[in-house]
Amino acid sequence: MFSERFEMFRNEHSLHGPARPRRARRRNVTCTFRVTLLRTGVERLTSVRDAIASQRLVVQREQSESQFAETLRSAFPQLQGREFELCRVDAQRQVSCLSLESKTPAAISASGQLGRSALYIQEKASSPAAPVASSPAAPVASSPAGSVASSPAAPVASSPAAPVAFSSLNPVVDIYISDEDEDDVDLKALLTTMLSKVDFTFTPASNQINTTRCNILESGIRAFRRQRFNPEAKLDVVFRDADGIGEGAADEGGPSREFLTLLMREIHSCEVFDGEDWNKTLACNSKALYNGMYKLVGQMIAVCLVHGGVEPHFFSQRLLCQVCNLQPPVPDLQQIVDYDFREKMIKIQSANNVDDAQCAIMEASDQLAMLGSLRHIQTLEERDDLVESATKFFLDNRLRDSLDQFKEGLKCLRLLPLMQKHPELFRELFLNEEKPLLSRDLSALFKAELSPVGSNRRVVESTTICFWRDWLIEVEEGTAYPLTLEKILGFVSGCTAIPRLGFPVEPKLEFLHPQENEAIRSFPEANTCGIVLRLPIHQSYELFRENMESGIVQSPTFGVM
């Protein structure tokens, strides 16, 4: 009885209430394209100068081919009256035409041919300029696959084209599109963009770095691991002496430059890198991976580069390609840093017959098994395949997790997206292509603060400047070893290289004239915050040279004498 009444109640009163009408699914009526106009004849993108301009276009999905063509011509006036091709760019930066019968927005979106590429436009080199038809009734002519023919004006329903902003671009998709609608994007402009993100008027407490010169990396790790450490704010570096007393109450730039210069040296030889000094690859270090050291080191490199202008210059070609999502070089046995494994692989490679190769493979069986490359071979071609696959796995695949973590750290201050968009521009920062300092570089860098013309001091200062420039030439020639021009610059500024964006203040030369009731100051002095070098006054060049070299070489720190 109860079950019958419950069934009647359930039929009369639905447990879920009255049925709701199904809402019609909203259809997406627009398409968004990132469009870049290429120079005529470009078959492979090698530079940002291959592109003329970039736009982000929002168009009606149902536009016809002729309407879409006129939308593109409106966005890029250079195409008026000309035929052009619609293209894509693959991972190897090769430009290829879209193979579609219809070049409408709906067809392009549905085809999936663009993949992760932007839509590229390129004028057909063989097509002469054609007059633009003015009659709205003129027929529309379709062009061969991959191109759009000139067509008359047609009503276009689209939003206004706007210049592409970096924040709206996908760094992987638009890796070869310029940040700006200009052809002259250079490395200095990119570094300026990153530097503009740093607020040098604000120093949070979490950005204070307390350090001594014997534990630079450890101090940096403690600071960078803080939950509220802000790389987009000014650093506050305090060096501590043996008594625990800070070397100055405020960091006006000099201590930060010194710390970041020393930090990059420590990073160069830290546990996350392996290989030759100026050809580093990532090391396979499970402890560093677990502790997040790869990410931390990536963040430190970004901060050193942006805050201090300190460039790495120790990446290998392979590591730079891995970071920038480029095809790495062909695997080479000499790039294997494990000496024992490298020698075993060379023995396999140099075997003259299959039996000798099989014996060499058995000697390396433990390592090959760990790499998943151990197998029986029957021909020398199979031997070559084994060597190639094992080498590639050793150099690339086994480091995948470490590389992902390292790239996550390089996203700090937007360094990684810019590297991936402009890999060629960043090569000179990360590869071993650092130009050595020259004597004329330092001579031109410092502006002398001279006494009035005609005064006795002015005469002495002019002589001292001659001493200074002659001495720089000797240092460049190596006659003042172990002193170098880099050490002289470091003594004055905290940096061992001139930053690409220059120093925040103009470096100056001052003179240590004898003062009454004061002892004669025979050695050079420096203020690394103001970047001021004070030259001693001596009667002879020999005394000047001796005291300059002795003062800087024996100075325990930058700018201290």
Side-chain angles (χ1 to χ4, degrees):
M1 179 65 71
F2 175 79
S3 60
E4 292 177 357
R5 291 181 179 178
F6 179 75
E7 186 67 25
M8 293 174 59
F9 176 81
R10 186 172 64 176
N11 292 336
E12 294 177 2
H13 304 279
S14 174
L15 296 178
H16 301 286
R20 297 180 180 179
R22 178 172 295 180
R23 180 180 298 176
R25 187 174 183 178
R26 186 176 180 180
R27 187 179 180 185
N28 191 0
V29 297
T30 62
C31 295
T32 302
F33 295 101
R34 291 176 302 277
V35 188
T36 294
L37 177 60
L38 293 177
R39 297 188 184 278
T40 304
V42 173
E43 298 180 353
R44 185 176 184 271
L45 293 183
T46 59
S47 168
V48 294
R49 293 174 175 81
D50 292 334
I52 298 176
S54 298
Q55 296 278 347
R56 180 179 292 275
L57 298 182
V58 181
V59 299
Q60 295 295 325
R61 180 178 291 271
E62 300 303 325
Q63 274 190 345
S64 65
E65 186 171 339
S66 61
Q67 289 175 329
F68 186 43
E70 286 307 312
T71 300
L72 297 175
R73 290 191 176 90
S74 298
F76 302 100
Q78 300 94 327
L79 298 175
Q80 291 295 339
R82 297 181 180 273
E83 293 186 354
F84 55 87
E85 298 173 325
L86 301 183
C87 309
R88 66 181 297 273
V89 171
D90 59 23
Q92 284 71 42
R93 297 183 284 177
Q94 296 292 336
V95 180
S96 59
C97 298
L98 298 183
S99 56
L100 295 173
E101 294 183 1
S102 175
K103 311 302 184 303
T104 64
I108 295 173
S109 298
S111 70
Q113 286 194 20
L114 287 182
R116 306 182 70 182
S117 170
L119 177 63
Y120 290 83
I121 307 176
Q122 191 172 50
E123 181 185 345
K124 299 182 69 173
S126 59
S127 298
V132 180
S134 59
S135 171
V140 177
S142 61
S143 55
S147 65
V148 178
S150 175
S151 58
V156 179
S158 67
S159 60
V164 178
F166 174 80
S167 59
S168 64
L169 296 179
N170 184 318
V172 177
V173 175
D174 300 300
I175 186 170
Y176 306 112
I177 299 180
S178 171
D179 279 326
E180 307 170 10
D181 296 332
E182 301 178 358
D183 299 336
D184 57 351
V185 175
D186 57 14
L187 182 58
K188 188 173 181 179
L190 298 178
L191 294 176
T192 302
T193 299
M194 290 189 288
L195 187 64
S196 66
K197 301 299 179 183
V198 181
D199 183 2
F200 287 99
T201 65
F202 173 60
T203 309
S206 55
N207 276 29
Q208 185 175 95
I209 302 176
N210 297 288
T211 184
T212 64
R213 290 173 180 83
C214 60
N215 66 346
I216 294 293
L217 183 59
E218 180 183 347
S219 304
I221 292 174
R222 289 200 305 268
F224 277 71
R225 285 195 188 278
R226 291 177 190 146
Q227 185 174 0
R228 296 185 180 180
F229 178 81
N230 183 6
E232 296 186 358
K234 181 182 177 182
L235 303 179
D236 179 20
V237 177
V238 180
F239 283 97
R240 301 282 169 174
D241 58 21
D243 298 325
I245 301 175
E247 297 177 1
D251 180 1
E252 297 298 335
S256 287
R257 286 191 295 271
E258 177 184 352
F259 172 78
L260 296 175
T261 299
L262 297 175
L263 179 61
M264 187 65 83
R265 292 180 187 175
E266 295 289 329
I267 290 173
H268 185 182
S269 57
C270 74
E271 60 184 339
V272 307
F273 294 112
D274 208 344
E276 300 175 358
D277 278 347
W278 303 107
N279 195 30
K280 293 286 188 179
T281 60
L282 289 182
C284 187
N285 189 317
S286 59
K287 180 180 178 181
L289 181 65
Y290 177 79
N291 293 332
M293 274 298 297
Y294 291 94
K295 178 178 179 180
L296 207 62
V297 168
Q299 292 173 336
M300 289 179 178
I301 290 176
V303 170
C304 288
L305 178 61
V306 177
H307 282 252
V310 185
E311 303 170 5
H313 287 294
F314 58 78
F315 279 35
S316 65
Q317 177 72 26
R318 177 171 297 276
L319 178 56
L320 185 64
C321 289
Q322 290 171 337
V323 167
C324 295
N325 293 337
L326 301 178
Q327 184 68 31
V330 177
D332 184 358
L333 289 177
Q334 297 302 323
Q335 297 175 353
I336 297 177
V337 295
D338 186 321
Y339 175 81
D340 179 63
F341 181 61
R342 181 175 69 244
E343 292 300 309
K344 291 180 179 179
M345 295 300 294
I346 292 175
K347 186 175 181 179
I348 297 173
Q349 182 67 57
S350 59
N352 295 322
N353 53 65
V354 174
D355 291 338
D356 290 345
Q358 192 64 50
C359 292
I361 290 173
M362 292 307 298
E363 292 180 15
S365 59
D366 291 342
Q367 292 98 323
L368 291 174
M370 292 181 64
L371 298 178
S373 301
L374 181 61
R375 57 180 178 270
H376 181 75
I377 64 169
Q378 295 180 333
T379 65
L380 292 180
E381 287 75 14
E382 292 180 355
R383 175 207 62 184
D384 294 339
D385 291 340
L386 182 149
V387 171
E388 181 180 354
S389 62
T391 304
K392 184 175 181 180
F393 189 92
F394 187 93
L395 295 176
D396 297 329
N397 296 356
R398 74 188 183 108
L399 300 171
R400 187 168 299 168
D401 291 341
S402 302
L403 177 63
D404 290 342
Q405 190 182 111
F406 183 57
K407 290 165 68 173
E408 185 68 25
L410 289 175
K411 291 179 181 178
C412 179
L413 296 170
R414 295 169 57 196
L415 174 59
L416 180 65
L418 289 178
M419 289 179 64
Q420 293 177 336
K421 284 171 65 65
H422 308 284
E424 292 300 321
L425 294 180
F426 281 88
R427 284 175 58 90
E428 56 186 291
L429 293 185
F430 288 86
L431 299 187
N432 185 24
E433 298 176 359
E434 184 176 10
K435 297 180 180 179
L437 274 178
L438 302 176
S439 58
R440 62 172 176 265
D441 296 332
L442 291 189
S443 296
L445 180 64
F446 291 90
K447 179 181 179 181
E449 296 286 332
L450 299 173
S451 300
V453 177
S455 64
N456 293 332
R457 286 193 171 192
R458 179 65 174 257
V459 175
V460 174
E461 290 165 357
S462 297
T463 302
T464 303
I465 290 178
C466 292
F467 290 170
W468 156 254
R469 293 180 176 177
D470 287 342
W471 178 64
L472 291 179
I473 294 174
E474 289 195 21
V475 174
E476 179 182 336
E477 292 177 345
T479 58
Y481 182 84
L483 194 62
T484 62
L485 294 176
E486 287 76 14
K487 290 184 178 180
I488 296 173
L489 182 61
F491 175 79
V492 183
S493 66
C495 289
T496 55
I498 301 175
R500 292 180 184 268
L501 298 181
F503 290 102
V505 295
E506 185 178 32
K508 296 180 181 180
L509 280 181
E510 295 181 355
F511 303 90
L512 298 173
H513 289 284
Q515 303 292 331
E516 293 184 5
N517 303 321
E518 287 187 7
I520 296 178
R521 292 184 287 183
S522 301
F523 299 102
E525 300 176 3
N527 181 338
T528 58
C529 294
I531 313 182
V532 178
L533 174 61
R534 301 183 180 93
L535 300 176
I537 302 296
H538 292 286
Q539 297 298 320
S540 67
Y541 174 72
E542 288 71 18
L543 280 175
F544 176 86
R545 178 183 59 190
E546 179 182 347
N547 284 277
M548 288 292 293
E549 294 175 3
S550 177
I552 295 178
V553 170
Q554 297 183 39
S555 177
T557 64
F558 295 139
V560 177
M561 184 58 236

